[in-house]
Amino acid sequence: MTISILGGINLTANQKQLEKYAELALKKGVNLQRGQGLIINAPIEAADLVRTISAKAYGKGAKNVHVEWGDEVLSYLKMKNAPMEVLENFPKWKAEGLEEMVADGYSLLSIYGPNPDLLKDVDSERVAKANKASAQALTKYRDYIMNDKTTWSIVAYPQKAWAEKVFPELSSEKAQDKLWEQIFQITRIDQEDPIEAWNDHNERLRQAREYLNNKQYRKLHYKAPGTELSIELVEDHIWHGGSATSQQGTEFNPNMPTEEVFTMPHKYGVDGKVTSTKPLNYGGNLIENFTLTFKSGKVVDYSAESGEDTLKHLLDTDEGAKQLGEVALVPNESPISKSGHIFFNTLYDENASCHLALGKAYPTNIKDGSSFDEQQMDHHGVNDSLVHEDFMMGSPELHIDGETKDGEFEPIFRNGNWAIEFE
């Protein structure tokens, strides 16, 4: 099918790549099945990509494509000017509508590329209140995602403001073109057969996660400039990475790109200090060069060179926000790291660096976790929270050792890269 209504920067030159990108998002991202519905969350700037994906989705037999449009200008105006009671109340009808669709088997594709500085002049308390209200209202909806009850994926789109942040020395148009080039390269769209390239990549990540699953380390020990941290892993933890499998048995890739393998820390078993190595974009504000100190799993002290108020509001969301829900390993030699760019975007920066996540754990990272009730979660050390925020702490100086159940230490990472040989 030919789409004649598409528009956008450099679209003519990139039409072939855009078509391949849309196909990748549907086939290896959400892996849309015939008769399934699709929810697309997207900024209005990405209309060209959304239309291309929608056309392909219907061509694959989608029963419906529902688009949730976002407009950063309108979001800014609301966050800056709306009464606090409006920000503190997420629309019930919207939450129920999304819940109804995922309960009906809809897949979810998020197109992500926010302006990292969008809300820098908005009171961080207003942003925190709005984020908390959204998280509370969408708890059931998010449960489908975090338990893989349906397929879901996140891909990027180079909105102008994001591109200008990454490439400030270029004009807006050239910055967007350059970011497109980076996205296509990092997601393997520039290769002759991106689908097969992703199959190979998923196989490499499968080998890493299977090695770690067989080891079942009791703890991980981190050492780097500004970081000396020990993280206990829950018993019967499961490492995931690359492709995942939904409860219906459909294989999908939650993040595109992805370079990580990740598992579940014990929420009461984290001690020491960790220092970030890349900025964290949280709610339209950047938190930079921050340090967290943990004792018995909980953040007991923190500081940041910039965005400290935003960090405080993140940590104050609820009790679980002060504890870890994810530990992820990413080699420094990943394609994103090799690009030499800071992307000011968690989807990209987290795949250039080992990272941790404050807040909710993925129940799928522990045996039978999706069936745990609240009491069982706490007993097994599974963290729960309204938030799940990844922050980057990897570097070329990072060393990680795994502690076995017998108390022996084995090298996992040396100088930011795997100390383990895979096939």
Side-chain angles (χ1 to χ4, degrees):
M1 180 179 181
T2 301
I3 304 295
S4 62
I5 56 174
L6 298 181
I9 296 297
N10 205 28
L11 183 58
T12 301
N14 281 337
Q15 182 64 55
K16 184 177 179 180
Q17 290 94 327
L18 197 76
E19 295 277 347
K20 290 167 72 176
Y21 193 46
E23 181 69 17
L24 183 71
L26 288 172
K27 190 168 183 179
K28 299 303 294 183
V30 296
N31 194 0
L32 188 72
Q33 304 295 298
R34 180 166 294 277
Q36 189 177 21
L38 176 66
I39 303 169
I40 302 177
N41 291 321
I44 57 173
E45 225 180 294
D48 50 1
L49 179 58
V50 172
R51 291 166 182 158
T52 303
I53 290 171
S54 297
K56 287 183 175 292
Y58 282 120
K60 293 179 181 295
K63 68 177 181 181
N64 183 39
V65 178
H66 173 83
V67 181
E68 288 283 326
W69 293 108
D71 183 331
E72 290 196 332
V73 174
L74 294 179
S75 296
Y76 170 82
L77 291 171
K78 180 177 180 178
M79 202 67 71
K80 184 77 172 178
N81 300 295
M84 186 65 87
E85 57 265 29
V86 171
L87 301 182
E88 292 178 324
N89 289 279
F90 189 89
K92 184 179 179 181
W93 60 266
K94 187 170 185 178
E96 290 178 345
L98 292 170
E99 289 170 21
E100 181 180 328
M101 283 187 283
V102 291
D104 190 36
Y106 274 62
S107 189
L108 172 66
L109 178 65
S110 293
I111 299 173
Y112 184 73
N115 175 3
D117 297 318
L118 178 67
L119 304 178
K120 65 180 181 181
D121 67 339
V122 176
D123 184 348
S124 59
E125 183 179 4
R126 292 173 62 81
V127 179
K129 295 281 190 183
N131 286 340
K132 186 172 183 177
S134 173
Q136 288 173 327
L138 296 173
T139 297
K140 292 181 180 179
Y141 170 68
R142 187 172 60 159
D143 179 67
Y144 276 83
I145 298 166
M146 299 201 75
N147 285 282
D148 293 343
K149 294 181 181 180
T150 188
T151 62
W152 58 278
S153 189
I154 307 173
V155 299
Y157 185 92
Q159 291 196 82
K160 288 181 181 178
W162 175 31
E164 290 166 359
K165 181 73 174 181
V166 179
F167 301 108
E169 73 282 4
L170 300 178
S171 67
S172 178
E173 182 175 338
K174 289 183 178 180
Q176 197 171 26
D177 288 346
K178 180 67 173 177
L179 191 49
W180 260 133
E181 178 185 316
Q182 291 292 302
I183 289 171
F184 289 151
Q185 180 180 355
I186 289 168
T187 57
R188 299 171 173 82
I189 294 299
D190 63 341
Q191 298 189 29
E192 183 175 349
D193 187 345
I195 302 295
E196 187 59 33
W198 270 89
N199 289 339
D200 293 342
H201 180 54
N202 281 333
E203 173 59 21
R204 286 190 291 272
L205 290 173
R206 183 194 64 78
Q207 292 176 16
R209 74 187 188 222
E210 284 196 358
Y211 175 92
L212 293 167
N213 280 328
N214 289 332
K215 282 290 184 179
Q216 284 293 297
Y217 288 114
R218 188 172 71 89
K219 285 186 177 182
L220 301 180
H221 298 272
Y222 293 72
K223 286 189 178 181
T227 294
E228 188 159 353
L229 190 70
S230 69
I231 300 177
E232 180 183 348
L233 303 180
V234 296
E235 191 173 353
D236 291 327
H237 62 268
I238 300 171
W239 289 87
H240 289 296
S243 63
T245 302
S246 73
Q247 292 187 14
Q248 293 75 32
T250 303
E251 186 179 9
F252 67 102
N253 273 89
N255 290 349
M256 304 190 84
T258 184
E259 303 291 334
E260 66 176 336
V261 291
F262 62 98
T263 195
M264 185 186 294
H266 195 294
K267 71 175 185 177
Y268 298 122
V270 183
D271 290 279
K273 184 173 73 171
V274 59
T275 299
S276 69
T277 53
K278 293 181 184 291
L280 169 60
N281 177 13
Y282 178 66
N285 286 287
L286 288 178
I287 310 170
E288 300 182 89
N289 299 321
F290 61 93
T291 297
L292 303 174
T293 301
F294 290 85
K295 185 175 181 180
S296 299
K298 187 176 180 179
V299 174
V300 294
D301 194 17
Y302 62 90
S303 63
E305 284 190 13
S306 65
E308 189 167 296
D309 283 347
T310 300
L311 177 60
K312 178 182 184 301
H313 289 305
L314 167 58
L315 293 169
D316 287 344
T317 302
D318 53 29
E319 280 303 302
K322 300 179 181 68
Q323 296 169 296
L324 293 183
E326 179 187 321
V327 50
L329 305 181
V330 180
N332 189 64
E333 61 187 8
S334 77
I336 303 171
S337 181
K338 283 182 176 180
S339 75
H341 302 300
I342 295 177
F343 286 91
F344 304 97
N345 177 304
T346 300
L347 175 62
Y348 272 64
D349 288 332
E350 75 168 5
N351 286 298
S353 167
C354 285
H355 55 275
L356 306 170
L358 291 164
K360 187 174 179 65
Y362 285 96
T364 53
N365 279 132
I366 185 173
K367 184 181 178 182
D368 299 324
S370 293
S371 65
F372 287 173
D373 59 26
E374 188 174 334
Q375 185 176 0
Q376 289 173 310
M377 288 174 60
D378 185 68
H379 173 74
H380 288 277
V382 182
N383 195 32
D384 193 21
S385 175
L386 292 171
V387 301
H388 176 96
E389 286 298 324
D390 298 286
F391 66 92
M392 288 57 75
M393 42 74 66
S395 72
E397 294 78 36
L398 176 63
H399 302 306
I400 305 174
D401 286 317
E403 181 181 341
T404 68
K405 292 179 180 179
D406 295 330
E408 296 182 2
F409 283 58
E410 298 177 350
I412 298 176
F413 265 53
R414 288 293 181 266
N415 299 313
N417 290 308
W418 288 106
I420 301 162
E421 290 291 334
F422 303 111
E423 294 181 11

